[in-house]
Amino acid sequence: MAVSRQGRTPVWAKIAEDLRSKIAEGAYQPDTRLPTEADLTAQYGVARATVRQALTALVNDGLIVPRAPRGYFVRLRQPLFYRPQQEFRPQPQTPEMDRFMADHSAEGREPRQTIDVSIVEPPADVKKRLRLADGEMAAVRRRIRYLDGEPFHTNDSYYPLSIVQDTEIMRPLDIARGANEVLAESGHRQVRALDEIYVRMPTPDEIQRLDLGPGTPVACHICTGLCEDGTPVRVVVNILPGDRHVIVYERGGMRGAGNE
């Protein structure tokens, strides 16, 4: 099918839109290969460079992925259902798996995670949320969580060093009963949390940690845990790639829902 060069829309954009529509309609199924550049060049009656522009646009949209030397494939999406409201539910009792590991092992997918613990001067936004004084240090547990070998999200938990320095939180190991319970045992039980969700493009560090492709936005979920007296004792920064997550909230008390 030849593509007309008339009109104000660039030819490569028309090709990209045609391929985008075919992907949406199922003509090209997830994890299947698109026609080769040579085949697309013949199909649309354009120069190879024009086809490459169209394919680059779809890569930037997150719709296809290049797999050299085999060509371009429709991205296979198997989103994780991310549930912020489950923050304070009981932890799994098996010491080798945290909440995340138990949930997704049950779904038949292969989970794993890496954990790194360090003492840092926290970023300014974390410092403000924890109400730390100038020069006061924090401990951070930095985790990357994987499903089927793909990094799915990061989970960085910051604590005032003064309240966790002699606890299990300082060890780069999974805490079977959960860090929330460790805090409670040390006299810092969290009774409520403030959740903030921002949608933005990733930082270079996030791109590297999560192996993000071009044009992939992220949701940044920041959870600040508070004690009974309102003292913040933990700030968790979760980075969720937009092509790998569905954020799910469950709410009660919907009497009168839909009324403005």
Side-chain angles (χ1 to χ4, degrees), residues 65-85:
V65 291
R67 296 178 186 170
R70 300 172 62 198
Y72 292 86
F73 286 73
V74 178
R75 182 186 290 274
L76 175 64
R77 300 178 187 275
Q78 294 178 290
L80 167 68
F81 287 88
Y82 179 79
R83 301 175 175 91
Q85 71 272 17

Side-chain angles (χ1 to χ4, degrees), residues 53-98:
Q53 280 185 286
L55 293 172
T56 298
L58 296 184
V59 170
N60 291 338
D61 287 346
L63 290 177
I64 64 173
V65 291
R67 296 178 186 170
R70 300 172 62 198
Y72 292 86
F73 286 73
V74 178
R75 182 186 290 274
L76 175 64
R77 300 178 187 275
Q78 294 178 290
L80 167 68
F81 287 88
Y82 179 79
R83 301 175 175 91
Q85 71 272 17
Q86 295 185 351
E87 170 68 18
F88 293 105
R89 78 178 188 180
Q91 294 281 331
Q93 296 302 306
T94 51
E96 70 274 11
M97 288 195 287
D98 72 352

Side-chain angles (χ1 to χ4, degrees), residues 14-52:
K14 294 181 180 181
I15 295 172
E17 183 56 35
D18 187 56
L19 293 173
R20 192 179 290 112
S21 296
K22 289 178 178 176
I23 291 171
E25 294 166 359
Y28 300 129
Q29 291 291 314
D31 208 34
T32 60
R33 189 173 65 180
L34 291 181
T36 66
E37 288 184 3
D39 288 341
L40 291 173
T41 295
Q43 176 182 338
Y44 290 107
V46 297
R48 194 158 186 162
T50 302
V51 165
R52 286 178 178 168

Side-chain angles (χ1 to χ4, degrees), residues 80 96-114 144-150 152:
L80 167 68
E96 70 274 11
M97 288 195 287
D98 72 352
R99 177 193 319 122
F100 172 88
M101 306 288 271
D103 281 352
H104 299 292
S105 288
E107 293 178 1
R109 304 176 74 175
E110 182 181 349
R112 70 179 179 90
Q113 66 177 338
T114 61
I144 303 177
R145 287 166 163 169
Y146 298 80
L147 283 179
D148 301 330
E150 181 181 17
F152 250 66

Side-chain angles (χ1 to χ4, degrees), residues 180-192:
N180 287 346
E181 190 59 30
V182 173
L183 286 173
E185 292 169 0
S186 64
H188 304 283
R189 182 176 295 279
Q190 299 165 87
V191 299
R192 59 191 177 92

